[in-house]
Short mmCIF file of all heavy atoms in Angstrom, two decimals:
data_model
loop_
_atom_site.label_atom_id
_atom_site.label_comp_id
_atom_site.label_asym_id
_atom_site.label_seq_id
_atom_site.Cartn_x
_atom_site.Cartn_y
_atom_site.Cartn_z
N GLU O 50 75.86 179.98 -30.31
CA GLU O 50 76.36 181.34 -30.65
C GLU O 50 76.18 181.54 -32.16
O GLU O 50 75.75 182.69 -32.59
CB GLU O 50 77.79 181.47 -30.27
CG GLU O 50 77.97 181.66 -28.74
CD GLU O 50 79.38 181.52 -28.30
OE1 GLU O 50 80.27 181.21 -29.08
OE2 GLU O 50 79.63 181.77 -27.04
N LEU O 51 76.45 180.58 -33.03
CA LEU O 51 76.28 180.73 -34.41
C LEU O 51 74.75 180.93 -34.74
O LEU O 51 74.40 181.75 -35.54
CB LEU O 51 76.76 179.46 -35.13
CG LEU O 51 76.42 179.34 -36.71
CD1 LEU O 51 77.12 180.52 -37.46
CD2 LEU O 51 76.78 178.02 -37.20
N HIS O 52 73.92 180.23 -34.02
CA HIS O 52 72.47 180.39 -34.27
C HIS O 52 71.93 181.77 -33.91
O HIS O 52 71.00 182.24 -34.40
CB HIS O 52 71.73 179.18 -33.74
CG HIS O 52 70.36 179.02 -34.43
ND1 HIS O 52 70.31 178.95 -35.84
CD2 HIS O 52 69.11 179.02 -34.04
CE1 HIS O 52 69.04 178.83 -36.16
NE2 HIS O 52 68.28 178.87 -35.08
N VAL O 53 72.65 182.32 -32.86
CA VAL O 53 72.18 183.73 -32.47
C VAL O 53 72.40 184.65 -33.69
O VAL O 53 71.55 185.40 -34.05
CB VAL O 53 73.07 184.30 -31.27
CG1 VAL O 53 72.83 185.69 -31.09
CG2 VAL O 53 72.67 183.42 -29.95
N GLU O 54 73.52 184.47 -34.34
CA GLU O 54 73.91 185.37 -35.51
C GLU O 54 72.82 185.04 -36.55
O GLU O 54 72.38 185.94 -37.27
CB GLU O 54 75.35 185.05 -35.97
CG GLU O 54 76.35 185.57 -35.06
CD GLU O 54 77.76 185.16 -35.47
OE1 GLU O 54 77.96 184.99 -36.69
OE2 GLU O 54 78.64 184.96 -34.61
N GLN O 55 72.63 183.78 -36.85
CA GLN O 55 71.62 183.38 -37.86
C GLN O 55 70.29 183.92 -37.60
O GLN O 55 69.55 184.37 -38.47
CB GLN O 55 71.64 181.80 -38.06
CG GLN O 55 72.68 181.25 -38.82
CD GLN O 55 72.56 179.68 -38.96
OE1 GLN O 55 71.97 179.08 -38.09
NE2 GLN O 55 73.06 179.18 -40.04
N THR O 56 69.86 183.80 -36.37
CA THR O 56 68.53 184.28 -35.96
C THR O 56 68.38 185.82 -36.16
O THR O 56 67.37 186.21 -36.71
CB THR O 56 68.18 183.92 -34.50
OG1 THR O 56 68.27 182.47 -34.36
CG2 THR O 56 66.84 184.45 -34.07
N ASN O 57 69.44 186.53 -35.90
CA ASN O 57 69.43 187.98 -36.09
C ASN O 57 69.26 188.29 -37.67
O ASN O 57 68.51 189.15 -38.05
CB ASN O 57 70.62 188.63 -35.51
CG ASN O 57 70.53 188.67 -34.03
OD1 ASN O 57 69.45 188.83 -33.44
ND2 ASN O 57 71.65 188.72 -33.28
N GLY O 58 69.95 187.46 -38.47
CA GLY O 58 69.81 187.59 -39.94
C GLY O 58 68.45 187.23 -40.36
O GLY O 58 67.91 187.80 -41.26
N GLN O 59 67.88 186.21 -39.74
CA GLN O 59 66.48 185.74 -40.13
C GLN O 59 65.46 186.84 -39.78
O GLN O 59 64.49 187.00 -40.55
CB GLN O 59 66.15 184.38 -39.46
CG GLN O 59 67.10 183.37 -39.94
CD GLN O 59 67.02 182.12 -39.10
OE1 GLN O 59 66.39 182.06 -37.98
NE2 GLN O 59 67.69 181.01 -39.53
N ILE O 60 65.70 187.51 -38.67
CA ILE O 60 64.77 188.62 -38.25
C ILE O 60 64.88 189.73 -39.41
O ILE O 60 63.90 190.23 -39.85
CB ILE O 60 65.15 189.18 -36.90
CG1 ILE O 60 64.75 188.15 -35.84
CG2 ILE O 60 64.41 190.49 -36.65
CD1 ILE O 60 65.23 188.42 -34.44
N GLU O 61 66.12 190.00 -39.79
CA GLU O 61 66.30 191.05 -40.86
C GLU O 61 65.60 190.55 -42.17
O GLU O 61 65.04 191.33 -42.89
CB GLU O 61 67.81 191.26 -41.08
CG GLU O 61 68.46 192.05 -39.93
CD GLU O 61 69.94 192.17 -40.17
OE1 GLU O 61 70.50 191.92 -41.27
OE2 GLU O 61 70.65 192.40 -39.18
N ARG O 62 65.78 189.31 -42.42
CA ARG O 62 65.12 188.75 -43.67
C ARG O 62 63.63 188.81 -43.62
O ARG O 62 62.95 189.20 -44.56
CB ARG O 62 65.64 187.30 -43.92
CG ARG O 62 65.42 186.74 -45.27
CD ARG O 62 66.04 185.37 -45.46
NE ARG O 62 67.47 185.37 -45.22
CZ ARG O 62 68.11 184.54 -44.35
NH1 ARG O 62 67.44 183.61 -43.74
NH2 ARG O 62 69.39 184.56 -44.24
N LEU O 63 63.07 188.59 -42.43
CA LEU O 63 61.62 188.73 -42.30
C LEU O 63 61.17 190.24 -42.50
O LEU O 63 60.17 190.47 -43.03
CB LEU O 63 61.21 188.27 -40.87
CG LEU O 63 61.12 186.68 -40.69
CD1 LEU O 63 60.95 186.41 -39.22
CD2 LEU O 63 59.99 186.16 -41.55
N GLN O 64 62.02 191.14 -42.04
CA GLN O 64 61.75 192.60 -42.27
C GLN O 64 61.70 192.81 -43.71
O GLN O 64 60.84 193.58 -44.22
CB GLN O 64 62.75 193.41 -41.52
CG GLN O 64 62.56 193.42 -40.03
CD GLN O 64 63.69 193.87 -39.23
OE1 GLN O 64 64.82 194.11 -39.71
NE2 GLN O 64 63.47 194.23 -37.96
N GLN O 65 62.60 192.25 -44.47
CA GLN O 65 62.56 192.30 -45.99
C GLN O 65 61.33 191.81 -46.51
O GLN O 65 60.76 192.31 -47.48
CB GLN O 65 63.81 191.66 -46.63
CG GLN O 65 65.06 192.20 -46.36
CD GLN O 65 66.25 191.37 -47.02
OE1 GLN O 65 66.37 190.14 -46.59
NE2 GLN O 65 66.90 191.91 -48.04
N VAL O 66 60.83 190.65 -45.97
CA VAL O 66 59.60 190.06 -46.46
C VAL O 66 58.47 190.97 -46.26
O VAL O 66 57.64 191.23 -47.06
CB VAL O 66 59.33 188.64 -45.79
CG1 VAL O 66 57.95 188.20 -46.00
CG2 VAL O 66 60.33 187.66 -46.25
N PHE O 67 58.34 191.59 -45.00
CA PHE O 67 57.27 192.49 -44.69
C PHE O 67 57.38 193.72 -45.75
O PHE O 67 56.30 194.22 -46.21
CB PHE O 67 57.34 192.96 -43.28
CG PHE O 67 56.85 191.99 -42.26
CD1 PHE O 67 57.64 191.46 -41.28
CD2 PHE O 67 55.48 191.70 -42.33
CE1 PHE O 67 57.17 190.54 -40.44
CE2 PHE O 67 55.00 190.73 -41.35
CZ PHE O 67 55.80 190.17 -40.43
N ASP O 68 58.56 194.17 -45.98
CA ASP O 68 58.75 195.28 -47.02
C ASP O 68 58.25 194.88 -48.30
O ASP O 68 57.54 195.62 -48.99
CB ASP O 68 60.23 195.72 -47.08
CG ASP O 68 60.75 196.44 -45.88
OD1 ASP O 68 59.91 196.90 -45.00
OD2 ASP O 68 61.99 196.58 -45.75
N GLU O 69 58.54 193.69 -48.79
CA GLU O 69 58.07 193.18 -50.08
C GLU O 69 56.54 193.14 -50.12
O GLU O 69 55.89 193.37 -51.16
CB GLU O 69 58.61 191.71 -50.31
CG GLU O 69 60.03 191.73 -50.82
CD GLU O 69 60.16 192.39 -52.20
OE1 GLU O 69 59.37 192.17 -53.14
OE2 GLU O 69 61.19 193.19 -52.30
N LEU O 70 55.94 192.87 -49.00
CA LEU O 70 54.44 192.78 -48.92
C LEU O 70 53.89 194.13 -48.63
O LEU O 70 52.63 194.24 -48.46
CB LEU O 70 54.08 191.80 -47.83
CG LEU O 70 54.56 190.30 -48.12
CD1 LEU O 70 54.24 189.38 -46.88
CD2 LEU O 70 53.81 189.77 -49.39
N ASP O 71 54.64 195.14 -48.50
CA ASP O 71 54.25 196.50 -48.16
C ASP O 71 53.37 196.56 -46.90
O ASP O 71 52.33 197.08 -46.86
CB ASP O 71 53.43 197.15 -49.30
CG ASP O 71 53.37 198.62 -49.30
OD1 ASP O 71 54.22 199.22 -48.71
OD2 ASP O 71 52.26 199.18 -49.80
N THR O 72 53.94 195.79 -45.91
CA THR O 72 53.26 195.65 -44.65
C THR O 72 54.30 195.92 -43.49
O THR O 72 55.43 195.57 -43.53
CB THR O 72 52.77 194.17 -44.45
OG1 THR O 72 51.89 193.84 -45.53
CG2 THR O 72 52.11 193.95 -43.04
N ARG O 73 53.81 196.62 -42.49
CA ARG O 73 54.68 196.96 -41.33
C ARG O 73 55.16 195.66 -40.65
O ARG O 73 54.37 194.80 -40.34
CB ARG O 73 53.95 197.82 -40.40
CG ARG O 73 54.77 198.38 -39.23
CD ARG O 73 54.14 199.49 -38.39
NE ARG O 73 52.89 198.94 -37.75
CZ ARG O 73 52.91 198.59 -36.48
NH1 ARG O 73 54.01 198.52 -35.79
NH2 ARG O 73 51.82 198.17 -35.85
N ALA O 74 56.44 195.64 -40.33
CA ALA O 74 57.05 194.45 -39.61
C ALA O 74 56.64 194.58 -38.14
O ALA O 74 57.07 195.48 -37.49
CB ALA O 74 58.51 194.46 -39.77
N ARG O 75 55.75 193.68 -37.77
CA ARG O 75 55.31 193.62 -36.40
C ARG O 75 54.96 192.23 -36.04
O ARG O 75 54.55 191.44 -36.86
CB ARG O 75 54.28 194.58 -36.03
CG ARG O 75 52.93 194.25 -36.65
CD ARG O 75 51.81 195.25 -36.18
NE ARG O 75 50.65 195.20 -36.88
CZ ARG O 75 49.61 194.30 -36.64
NH1 ARG O 75 49.69 193.56 -35.55
NH2 ARG O 75 48.56 194.21 -37.38
N GLY O 76 55.22 191.86 -34.78
CA GLY O 76 54.95 190.45 -34.39
C GLY O 76 53.66 190.27 -33.78
O GLY O 76 52.98 191.30 -33.30
N LYS O 77 53.18 189.08 -33.72
CA LYS O 77 52.01 188.67 -33.02
C LYS O 77 52.51 187.62 -32.04
O LYS O 77 53.17 186.65 -32.44
CB LYS O 77 51.03 188.03 -33.94
CG LYS O 77 49.76 187.48 -33.39
CD LYS O 77 48.83 186.79 -34.44
CE LYS O 77 49.31 185.39 -34.49
NZ LYS O 77 48.41 184.54 -35.42
N HIS O 78 52.12 187.76 -30.77
CA HIS O 78 52.66 186.92 -29.70
C HIS O 78 52.54 185.40 -30.13
O HIS O 78 51.52 184.94 -30.50
CB HIS O 78 51.91 187.16 -28.40
CG HIS O 78 52.56 186.33 -27.34
ND1 HIS O 78 53.67 186.76 -26.69
CD2 HIS O 78 52.24 185.19 -26.67
CE1 HIS O 78 54.05 185.85 -25.72
NE2 HIS O 78 53.22 184.89 -25.74
N CYS O 79 53.72 184.79 -30.03
CA CYS O 79 53.76 183.34 -30.39
C CYS O 79 53.73 182.42 -29.13
O CYS O 79 54.84 182.40 -28.41
CB CYS O 79 55.07 183.11 -31.16
SG CYS O 79 55.21 181.41 -31.68
N ASP O 80 52.60 181.96 -28.72
CA ASP O 80 52.46 181.17 -27.51
C ASP O 80 53.34 179.96 -27.66
O ASP O 80 53.83 179.47 -26.67
CB ASP O 80 51.04 180.81 -27.34
CG ASP O 80 50.14 181.95 -27.00
OD1 ASP O 80 50.65 182.95 -26.34
OD2 ASP O 80 48.93 181.97 -27.33
N ALA O 81 53.33 179.35 -28.83
CA ALA O 81 54.12 178.11 -28.92
C ALA O 81 55.60 178.26 -28.64
O ALA O 81 56.19 177.49 -27.88
CB ALA O 81 54.00 177.49 -30.37
N MET O 82 56.29 179.39 -29.17
CA MET O 82 57.64 179.56 -28.92
C MET O 82 57.87 179.89 -27.37
O MET O 82 58.85 179.40 -26.78
CB MET O 82 58.13 180.67 -29.81
CG MET O 82 59.70 180.72 -29.70
SD MET O 82 60.52 179.20 -30.11
CE MET O 82 60.04 178.95 -31.78
N GLU O 83 56.96 180.59 -26.82
CA GLU O 83 56.99 180.94 -25.41
C GLU O 83 57.00 179.65 -24.66
O GLU O 83 57.83 179.51 -23.64
CB GLU O 83 55.82 181.82 -24.97
CG GLU O 83 55.89 182.23 -23.54
CD GLU O 83 54.67 183.14 -23.12
OE1 GLU O 83 53.60 182.91 -23.55
OE2 GLU O 83 54.96 184.01 -22.25
N GLY O 84 56.24 178.71 -25.00
CA GLY O 84 56.16 177.45 -24.27
C GLY O 84 57.45 176.64 -24.48
O GLY O 84 58.02 176.08 -23.47
N LEU O 85 58.02 176.60 -25.71
CA LEU O 85 59.22 175.86 -25.95
C LEU O 85 60.41 176.55 -25.21
O LEU O 85 61.24 175.77 -24.65
CB LEU O 85 59.52 175.84 -27.46
CG LEU O 85 58.58 175.02 -28.25
CD1 LEU O 85 58.81 175.24 -29.77
CD2 LEU O 85 58.68 173.54 -27.90
#
Side-chain angles (χ1 to χ4, degrees):
E50 289 171 350
L51 171 65
H52 203 54
V53 170
E54 293 174 29
Q55 282 183 330
T56 300
N57 289 327
Q59 292 164 355
I60 291 169
E61 290 174 18
R62 200 174 297 127
L63 283 169
Q64 290 166 343
Q65 290 178 296
V66 167
F67 282 116
D68 288 346
E69 280 295 314
L70 297 171
D71 198 29
T72 302
R73 185 169 65 95
R75 66 178 170 89
K77 176 183 89 173
H78 186 78
C79 181
D80 292 329
M82 191 56 64
E83 181 179 37
L85 292 171

